[in-house]
Amino acid sequence: GENVEQHPSTLSVQEGDSAVIKCTYSDSASNYFPWYKQELGKGPQLIIDIRSNVGEKKDQRIAVTLNKTAKHFSLHITETQPEDSAVYFCAASLLGNEKLTFGTGTRLTIIP
Amino acid sequence: DTEVTQTPKHLVMGMTNKKSLKCEQHMGHRAMYWYKQKAKKPPELMFVYSYEKLSINESVPSRFSPECPNSSLLNLHLHALQPEDSALYLCASSQEARLGVGTDTQYFGPGTRLTVL
């Protein structure tokens, strides 16, 4: 089955700087890669996703890049703000499979 | 509207109690999911319903019993739970992406924080 590794497990970034979280996956058939943000006491919220026919996707301060050959994808947050502090999970799946395999999570702390 | 609602927000129950968690979505999604999340861990899939039929059971103990009364509702019936079952229970939904049509994007509810005494 699919295995997703996520690094780092914790990340502290000065407000205004950029944050990068990296994930690798094992199953080359996976073709859908969402990122979720989970704030304390809340459910995961989708912040961006990418499909394998695209190498990069951007939404304002958030971007995701995908390298299918190396089987890794990354989340980039620019101009970080205190409200970006949360736990971020990457995930991978095969479209139509209904099963998401999550990474282990990254606790991002933005230092004011 | 991408809202999934869950009730109750918090639940405390004894090991001999019977309780139910409820989940509702009005996005017309045909796939609904139950996840269990322990502290500092990712969500762990328990069940998937597709078109109101159970399609995935991740070898969950029988003390957890899912039910999908209609396409908008998902229940999780709890009976004779153990303290180690204490966790955040998340519901999610997505358009059914069979045959590559539609999207697999899963939208999560806020969860029910369950404590078993």
Side-chain angles (χ1 to χ4, degrees):
Chain A
E2 176 66 281
N3 182 51
V4 177
E5 294 188 0
Q6 183 172 346
H7 299 281
S9 57
T10 61
L11 179 61
S12 293
V13 172
Q14 206 71 37
E15 182 179 354
D17 287 350
S18 296
V20 180
I21 303 170
K22 299 182 180 182
C23 290
T24 59
Y25 59 99
S26 61
D27 188 347
S28 56
S30 291
N31 56 9
Y32 174 62
F33 307 93
W35 285 90
Y36 287 88
K37 174 184 180 181
Q38 188 171 25
E39 296 176 278
L40 196 62
K42 298 185 178 180
Q45 297 299 307
L46 180 78
I47 55 171
I48 196 166
D49 58 10
I50 192 167
R51 286 164 171 76
S52 60
N53 58 347
V54 175
E56 183 174 1
K57 184 176 178 181
K58 191 173 181 181
D59 183 3
Q60 299 184 338
R61 298 186 297 108
I62 294 173
V64 57
T65 58
L66 172 65
N67 183 327
K68 286 190 296 180
T69 304
K71 289 189 283 187
H72 68 69
F73 56 112
S74 300
L75 177 71
H76 304 254
I77 306 174
T78 59
E79 301 172 13
T80 53
Q81 301 168 3
E83 52 265 36
D84 294 328
S85 294
V87 177
Y88 291 80
F89 291 101
C90 63
S93 78
L94 177 63
L95 280 171
N97 190 312
E98 298 172 330
K99 286 186 70 169
L100 278 179
T101 301
F102 284 90
T104 48
T106 297
R107 179 171 298 280
L108 175 63
T109 302
I110 307 301
I111 305 165
Chain B
D1 181 14
T2 55
E3 188 178 26
V4 175
T5 59
Q6 290 186 244
T7 55
K9 289 186 178 179
H10 302 276
L11 179 61
V12 179
M13 60 186 291
M15 289 189 285
T16 57
N17 292 157
K18 283 186 181 181
K19 296 287 184 183
S20 296
L21 309 185
K22 296 185 184 302
C23 173
E24 191 167 3
Q25 58 88 14
H26 294 289
M27 295 177 278
H29 289 172
R30 302 313 298 268
M32 296 185 77
Y33 311 75
W34 280 116
Y35 287 86
K36 173 183 178 180
Q37 187 178 28
K38 301 284 270 185
K40 299 184 180 181
K41 297 288 188 183
E44 180 183 334
L45 184 65
M46 300 174 71
F47 303 104
V48 181
Y49 272 83
S50 179
Y51 287 87
E52 299 159 49
K53 286 186 166 51
L54 184 65
S55 60
I56 296 176
N57 176 344
E58 292 287 279
S59 302
V60 179
S62 60
R63 57 186 184 269
F64 295 91
S65 175
E67 178 196 18
C68 190
N70 60 56
S71 60
S72 299
L73 293 174
L74 186 66
N75 297 323
L76 185 63
H77 302 296
L78 314 172
H79 174 55
L81 295 193
Q82 304 297 310
E84 58 264 29
D85 296 322
S86 298
L88 181 68
Y89 288 83
L90 295 162
C91 174
S93 71
S94 69
Q95 288 182 6
E96 210 278 339
R98 194 175 296 169
L99 301 180
V101 176
T103 172
D104 271 2
T105 302
Q106 292 187 24
Y107 297 93
F108 285 82
T112 293
R113 175 73 60 188
L114 174 67
T115 303
V116 182
L117 301 176

